[in-house]
Amino acid sequence: LKVKYVSIVDWEVAMDPLRCSPNFHGQPHYDCALIQLSETKIAFVQLIFFFTCNIPALDETFQFALIQLHTAGIGVHWIDQDFDLIQVKAISHAVLMFIPMKSII
């Protein structure tokens, strides 16, 4: 999956690949991203799996991602005192969910 964004270095549109692979150069690699949960809420997530669903009767193709939520997007987080960064932690693997890939921001 390639995500477009505006670089704050030169204000140009750039693209960055997001990966989720159990065997990326011999090692598991699951990128993290931000998603739009609602009009006013965003969440940190880890990408687990991408897939496309084609429904011939509707003549449409839908793209989904299986994700694991991280704590910062749901109101539970900690501030690192030394670096003033928000620390996030994965929620249990039992809390996986499917989202439309257009939710990734």
Side-chain angles (χ1 to χ4, degrees), residues 68-81:
Q68 180 180 19
L69 284 173
H70 285 224
T71 55
I74 59 169
V76 179
H77 59 272
W78 300 267
I79 304 288
D80 182 288
Q81 298 303 316

Side-chain angles (χ1 to χ4, degrees), residues 9 14-15 22-23 29 35 38-39 41 48-49 51 53-54 61 68 70 74 78-79 89 98 102 104:
V9 174
M15 282 199 294
N23 190 11
H29 186 97
I35 64 165
S38 69
E39 197 171 300
K41 291 185 179 182
I48 306 297
F49 186 73
F51 68 97
C53 179
N54 184 19
T61 300
Q68 180 180 19
H70 285 224
I74 59 169
W78 300 267
I79 304 288
K89 182 173 120 178
F98 292 101
K102 65 182 180 181
I104 298 172

Side-chain angles (χ1 to χ4, degrees), residues 18-24 29-31 47-50 66:
L18 294 177
R19 295 181 175 89
C20 55
S21 174
N23 190 11
F24 183 75
H29 186 97
Y30 299 98
D31 281 342
L47 305 168
I48 306 297
F49 186 73
F50 299 135
L66 177 64

